[in-house]
Amino acid sequence: MKRQFLTLCAAAALAVSGTAMSNEIYKWTDAAGNVHYGDRPNADGRSERINIASRRTNPAAVQARVQAQRDARSARDEAEAEEPKKKTPEERRAEAAERATKCQEHRSRLESYIQSQRLYREDENGERVYLNEQEVQEARNRVQEKVQEFCD
């Protein structure tokens, strides 16, 4: 008996929900100029029936649109990340001062490398290991590159 009652209630709910979806929508404007919408016409008879056509949503189309929006957003974010940030005048001055300091340091080191008779490095025991001519030239070239990087 309960099962039949539940089946009957479910059938009635489905029938009612189907008719509720097919009801008309009415639009009217009251004396104050406010627009109203309802499922029944206004009592004064000045209601306008609105035809609303709907269709099922295509999940694949929705997913494609969402993915396209994500792709566009990530492309925009990548472009913004690659675009150099605008620096404030204080940041530019601080950067220029740091470059000038490094330029001076590397120029002094290059001058020292050029004037020195012999160059050396310290090994893990703290003892001097003198560089041969090829190693000296490589060290000078590395410092020269740093001078060009920071002084130009």
Side-chain angles (χ1 to χ4, degrees):
M1 183 73 171
K2 279 187 175 183
R3 180 173 271 189
Q4 289 175 346
F5 179 72
L6 290 175
T7 305
L8 183 62
C9 287
L14 286 174
V16 170
S17 68
T19 58
M21 297 231 173
S22 66
N23 282 344
E24 294 95 15
I25 304 293
Y26 296 92
K27 173 183 169 184
W28 68 91
T29 306
D30 64 11
N34 298 321
V35 178
H36 297 274
Y37 295 91
D39 59 351
R40 287 172 283 193
N42 192 7
D44 64 7
R46 294 186 302 162
S47 303
E48 172 188 349
R49 183 170 172 254
I50 299 176
N51 293 323
I52 298 177
S54 63
R55 54 191 156 127
R56 297 183 65 81
T57 302
N58 182 352
V62 171
Q63 186 63 32
R65 186 171 60 246
V66 168
Q67 188 61 43
Q69 289 172 345
R70 285 181 187 153
D71 293 343
R73 185 178 305 122
S74 64
R76 186 183 67 237
D77 291 346
E78 287 176 10
E80 287 176 359
E82 291 175 3
E83 185 178 301
K85 305 254 183 207
K86 304 284 186 207
K87 294 182 181 177
T88 64
E90 295 82 22
E91 290 173 330
R92 286 193 296 260
R93 280 193 291 272
E95 185 177 294
E98 183 179 345
R99 286 181 63 82
T101 302
K102 287 185 178 185
C103 173
Q104 186 59 40
E105 289 173 5
H106 290 299
R107 280 189 176 172
S108 298
R109 184 173 296 145
L110 179 61
E111 187 67 29
S112 170
Y113 282 12
I114 291 172
Q115 291 181 0
S116 296
Q117 296 294 325
R118 297 182 73 187
L119 294 178
Y120 65 90
R121 63 177 171 81
E122 290 185 6
D123 65 4
E124 58 275 353
N125 297 329
E127 296 181 14
R128 290 183 180 183
V129 177
Y130 288 95
L131 305 179
N132 62 32
E133 280 300 314
Q134 182 181 357
E135 292 171 328
V136 168
Q137 191 58 41
E138 289 172 0
R140 287 177 182 161
N141 289 341
R142 281 193 303 269
V143 174
Q144 181 63 40
E145 289 172 3
K146 292 292 185 180
V147 167
Q148 289 177 349
E149 178 183 343
F150 289 107
C151 298
D152 290 342

